[in-house]
Amino acid sequence: MASNFLRQRKPYYVESTINCSSSSDQKLVNLSFGINETRNQTKKRQAKEHHGRRSCLDSCCWVTGYLCTTWWLLLFLYHCCLPFTVVHEVPELMPAARLKREGLKGIHPVVLVPGIVTGGLELWEGKPCADGLFRKRLWGGGGFTQLLKRPLCWLEHLSLHNETGLDPPGIRVRPVPGLFGADYSAPGYFVWDVLVKNLAKIGYEGKNLHMAAYDWRLSFQNTEVRDRALSKLKSKIELMYRANGNKKVVVVPHSMGVAYFLHFLKWVKTPPPMGGGGGPGWCSEHIKAIVNIGPSFLGVPKAVSNILSAEGKDVAYFRAMAPGVLDSGTLGLRALEHVMRVSRTWDSVVSLMPKGGETIWGNMDWSPEDEHVCDFSKKRYFRLSPSDNNVNNSDAKQVFRVKDPVKYGRIISFGKAASVLHSSQLPTAVLKEILHMSASRNFNSSCGEAWTEYDEMSRESIRKTGAADKAYTATTLFDLLRFVAPKMMNRAEAHFSHGIADNLEDPKYNHYKYWSNPLEMKLPDAPNMEIYCSYGVGIPTERSYVYKLSPSNKCKRIPYQIDTSVDGEDGSCLKSGVYFADGDESVPVLSAGFMCAKGWKGRTRFNPSGINTYVREYQSKPPTSGIKSTAHVDIMGNIALIEDILRVAAGATGEEIGGDKIYSDILRMSERINLRL
């Protein structure tokens, strides 16, 4: 009986045994109860330990996912800014210290205009998951730590409303005001800090130095609608002008801030309610010079890859090194999907799309950069004499050359063949096919909840748009993006335009959607104002991409990705599915320099008052980061650029600091562009 009890260990059997057993059996029962209880406790403890081990594994996976999501979100917008501290540690290397000894003093008030992602954002109202974060940073500074503590909550509060492009219900995130808001994008990653310290050395402080903070996620006009940011900027410039003895202001925008301030130039003179009502002479009265740093006047191709697949070269390289990690269903990272869901609510991303279509960026068989690409095998540049192209004040000229010209005009190619074959050997344009599929778009119910807009597309339509041997130029890719991201494009294209104006006198160009496109607006009537295009050169910069369909056909997965298996031969500019051209690592020379080199040079229909423009290029020199770096963000600490800004702020003109300084092939590129001026 006891042996049966020990073998079966069932409570109902125990009860019957007690009623029918002798006292000796009763002792055995009690002993059995003890053994049974001990074994049950052991079993529970083992289950708890197993659960703990499982929780530990789950936690590790989640932490890995959060870290990856953070990294990819930063890479998506910034592509790994490199920190350096040499300027801080060696104050004697600051150009301001030397210039101050020479007697240089600040004269003109200075306004700094940050670009995308470089300004801090703080929480003013949020959901219950954000308790304790009132007026704490969500972006910039230490705000990224919230991604590890409450990742989904953090992402939700950084997203905008998918239909209005403004605040979602119950959430208010606002820009951090003042210089503190954009001096560092993250601990150790400076943006404006080095320049501000140099300006302080020659006498600048709060009364004559201002950071024009704005919410870089919004469309430019919506920063005025929601926050009155443009009105605040106008009032601040007027106040600084009066408070500093009627000295005109020097404005220093960076990256996307260049397009934002271009929008402001048109807004400030436009009558209310659409504009600021300053009148046609406002800019001439208040602004001395605009020193544009790393200007993305004509957009950047990597904005296309970011919208299409939330990728750039860094993400593509990681995918090649660790295939399957980003798409792992086991770990559940979905890092790129998270990035895409958030960033597609930011209208500002569309402002960075290439402007000017095939006229500027090239068609299927031509581009302005033909024969000017980088040589990865030799890592050096051919040098021409300073007399080439009548370049003044240039000690050398850099030209990237390879044997075969790259068809840069094909910004997106599906398959390597589509990027190299003559257009006559490729399928005809799929524009009509895409528009037809867009009209018959149906929700893919098999995917359940739609994580991205790709989940609302049929697998067949995805296959057709990304079929091998199809290529898209700066004109046709907009139809592709309108199909794969209709909500974003419908919303954002009400605020931005990317074409070329036929007749700038047409009243339609008085609408704000055209104001940030230099090819669809006229500069103000300010003949004494100066405009500088200041940017780095000599760094391979993303120009076009080779794509493929993703190997995974599962729902809730991005169906396209850069084909990192595609490389060129020695001397080719094709590396891991990305074609590179000359630039500052983020903005190609073509986008940064064309307007100052040709579009606005002299009196043109885009510059009717003949504002003087200057191309100021800064040559990349080793080390890749430091006081001589010219990368898109690192250049903010470049001593040559800082010296130029200080001299302009102290009253120097463009001619007095040396006029044009050109190392790249921007003049030849500009001449190859057939644009009516």
Side-chain angles (χ1 to χ4, degrees):
M1 185 182 300
S3 61
N4 289 339
F5 173 81
L6 292 174
R7 183 171 60 251
Q8 297 184 19
R9 299 191 302 274
K10 291 184 179 180
Y12 71 87
Y13 187 81
V14 172
E15 183 178 358
S16 62
T17 303
I18 294 174
N19 293 332
C20 304
S21 298
S22 64
S23 59
S24 60
D25 289 337
Q26 181 68 36
K27 294 180 181 179
L28 282 175
V29 170
N30 294 337
L31 177 62
S32 300
F33 265 125
I35 296 174
N36 185 42
E37 183 177 359
T38 301
R39 291 188 177 182
N40 285 338
Q41 291 175 350
T42 302
K43 190 174 182 180
K44 291 179 180 179
R45 185 172 63 253
Q46 290 175 344
K48 185 176 181 180
E49 291 174 354
H50 180 66
H51 176 72
R53 287 194 297 270
R54 220 172 37 236
S55 299
C56 182
L57 178 61
D58 292 343
S59 299
C60 290
C61 292
W62 276 107
V63 169
T64 302
Y66 301 157
L67 290 172
C68 289
T69 302
T70 304
W71 192 29
W72 297 133
L73 188 58
L74 295 174
L75 288 178
F76 165 76
L77 298 161
Y78 232 137
H79 290 279
C80 289
C81 318
L82 296 176
F84 61 85
T85 58
V86 64
V87 175
H88 305 286
E89 296 172 357
V90 189
E92 291 77 12
L93 293 179
M94 284 188 173
R98 173 174 51 83
L99 295 175
K100 183 179 181 180
R101 289 193 297 268
E102 296 174 3
L104 192 77
K105 294 182 179 180
I107 295 177
H108 296 273
V110 174
V111 172
L112 310 176
V113 184
I116 192 169
V117 310
T118 55
L121 299 174
E122 62 185 17
L123 183 69
W124 279 80
E125 180 185 4
K127 298 296 181 66
C129 66
D131 285 347
L133 295 181
F134 176 68
R135 295 201 64 198
K136 298 289 183 62
R137 285 202 184 195
L138 295 184
W139 187 277
F144 300 118
T145 59
Q146 297 303 322
L147 179 57
L148 299 177
K149 297 178 180 178
R150 43 189 117 191
L152 297 181
C153 180
W154 185 80
L155 291 169
E156 180 184 10
H157 284 76
L158 281 178
S159 300
L160 295 170
H161 195 280
N162 209 24
E163 294 181 2
T164 65
L166 296 169
D167 294 327
I171 294 176
R172 284 186 294 148
V173 174
R174 297 295 181 262
V176 178
L179 296 172
F180 178 71
D183 51 358
Y184 284 84
S185 61
Y189 290 77
F190 75 84
V191 183
W192 293 95
D193 179 72
V194 178
L195 177 58
V196 170
K197 287 181 177 178
N198 276 271
L199 287 166
K201 284 280 186 180
I202 62 171
Y204 283 90
E205 55 188 10
K207 68 180 181 181
N208 56 2
L209 180 60
H210 173 67
M211 180 72 70
Y214 64 98
D215 191 336
W216 43 263
R217 302 171 301 161
L218 301 173
S219 71
F220 302 156
Q221 191 68 9
N222 273 344
T223 65
E224 172 67 12
V225 171
R226 196 194 72 179
D227 300 336
R228 298 294 183 264
L230 299 174
S231 294
K232 293 176 184 176
L233 178 55
K234 175 177 178 286
S235 298
K236 189 64 178 181
I237 291 176
E238 292 171 342
L239 176 61
M240 295 174 75
Y241 170 78
R242 293 192 302 268
N244 290 275
N246 292 341
K247 295 295 184 182
K248 295 183 181 180
V249 173
V250 173
V251 183
V252 186
H254 173 244
S255 190
M256 189 189 76
V258 167
Y260 183 75
F261 195 74
L262 198 64
H263 181 98
F264 173 84
L265 292 179
K266 185 72 174 181
W267 172 88
V268 74
K269 73 172 188 177
T270 300
M274 189 177 294
W282 190 93
C283 293
S284 180
E285 179 182 357
H286 293 91
I287 300 177
K288 174 193 185 294
I290 307 172
V291 184
N292 300 291
I293 304 176
S296 55
F297 281 122
L298 300 178
V300 290
K302 71 179 184 181
V304 180
S305 66
N306 288 334
I307 296 175
L308 189 62
S309 61
E311 285 183 292
K313 63 181 178 65
D314 301 295
V315 177
Y317 291 169
F318 181 85
R319 192 194 292 274
M321 291 186 294
V325 173
L326 292 178
D327 307 311
S328 172
T330 304
L331 296 180
L333 305 184
R334 294 183 182 174
L336 299 185
E337 285 79 3
H338 279 301
V339 169
M340 178 172 286
R341 291 185 74 180
V342 175
S343 63
R344 281 194 179 182
T345 68
W346 299 346
D347 289 343
S348 58
V349 175
V350 176
S351 76
L352 295 171
M353 291 282 292
K355 302 178 179 71
E358 295 178 1
T359 300
I360 299 295
W361 295 93
N363 56 30
M364 294 288 283
D365 296 307
W366 167 88
S367 72
E369 301 103 325
D370 283 350
E371 299 182 1
H372 302 276
V373 290
C374 40
D375 187 337
F376 288 102
S377 63
K378 297 180 180 180
K379 296 286 186 181
R380 63 181 178 84
Y381 310 120
F382 293 87
R383 305 178 78 84
L384 302 181
S385 67
S387 60
D388 289 336
N389 286 340
N390 297 318
V391 178
N392 295 323
N393 208 30
S394 295
D395 56 6
K397 186 178 181 61
Q398 295 180 342
V399 181
F400 299 84
R401 297 190 186 279
V402 291
K403 299 176 182 178
D404 300 320
V406 177
K407 294 176 172 56
Y408 281 123
R410 307 175 190 184
I411 293 180
I412 299 293
S413 301
F414 282 91
K416 184 176 181 180
S419 71
V420 297
L421 295 175
H422 191 272
S423 60
S424 61
Q425 299 176 267
L426 298 177
T428 56
V430 296
L431 172 61
K432 293 182 179 179
E433 181 180 347
I434 291 178
L435 293 178
H436 173 71
M437 287 188 293
S438 180
S440 58
R441 185 186 185 96
N442 292 314
F443 176 70
N444 190 356
S445 58
S446 62
C447 287
E449 178 193 2
W451 264 59
T452 69
E453 291 180 278
Y454 285 123
D455 296 328
E456 300 176 11
M457 298 172 58
S458 68
R459 298 292 109 176
E460 176 65 15
S461 63
I462 289 174
R463 187 191 64 79
K464 288 182 178 180
T465 55
D469 299 337
K470 288 185 178 179
Y472 299 87
T473 67
T475 297
T476 58
L477 65 84
F478 277 89
D479 296 301
L480 173 64
L481 295 180
R482 290 180 189 117
F483 176 65
V484 301
K487 294 177 182 177
M488 178 183 195
M489 297 302 290
N490 288 340
R491 184 187 68 245
E493 285 191 301
H495 290 266
F496 299 106
S497 179
H498 301 81
I500 300 175
D502 293 325
N503 177 16
L504 286 169
E505 303 302 324
D506 190 326
K508 79 174 186 178
Y509 292 108
N510 292 327
H511 192 274
Y512 57 76
K513 69 180 289 184
Y514 302 102
W515 294 352
S516 60
N517 182 356
L519 302 175
E520 293 182 306
M521 60 89 70
K522 292 188 292 186
L523 290 177
D525 183 10
N528 296 321
M529 191 172 78
E530 295 180 328
I531 296 179
Y532 298 80
C533 293
S534 305
Y535 53 90
V537 298
I539 304 177
T541 302
E542 295 166 64
R543 180 59 170 82
S544 59
Y545 304 87
V546 178
Y547 265 79
K548 67 177 181 179
L549 290 174
S550 299
S552 174
N553 197 35
K554 298 179 180 179
C555 294
K556 299 180 174 60
R557 292 291 185 269
I558 298 173
Y560 309 119
Q561 66 183 55
I562 296 173
D563 190 351
T564 54
S565 67
V566 176
D567 283 296
E569 300 176 353
D570 289 344
S572 170
C573 202
L574 174 61
K575 184 176 181 180
S576 298
V578 181
Y579 282 101
F580 293 89
D582 193 6
D584 69 357
E585 196 175 39
S586 291
V587 182
V589 164
L590 177 63
S591 177
F594 173 78
M595 293 309 299
C596 284
K598 182 177 180 179
W600 290 330
K601 205 68 172 179
R603 291 182 182 270
T604 70
R605 66 191 184 106
F606 306 109
N607 181 17
S609 67
I611 296 172
N612 288 328
T613 63
Y614 299 95
V615 177
R616 301 287 293 178
E617 295 184 343
Y618 303 88
Q619 186 177 4
S620 178
K621 298 178 182 179
T624 56
S625 64
I627 58 177
K628 294 184 178 180
S629 175
T630 63
H632 188 64
V633 179
D634 284 353
I635 197 173
M636 304 289 280
N638 183 283
I639 56 175
L641 170 66
I642 292 175
E643 181 170 342
D644 282 352
I645 295 173
L646 297 180
R647 291 189 181 279
V648 172
T653 65
E655 292 299 326
E656 290 171 342
I657 66 171
D660 290 336
K661 184 177 66 174
I662 299 176
Y663 298 100
S664 75
D665 213 19
I666 184 59
L667 296 183
R668 183 177 175 182
M669 293 180 200
S670 300
E671 288 304 315
R672 291 171 61 85
I673 295 175
N674 184 20
L675 177 67
R676 181 173 62 86
L677 300 176

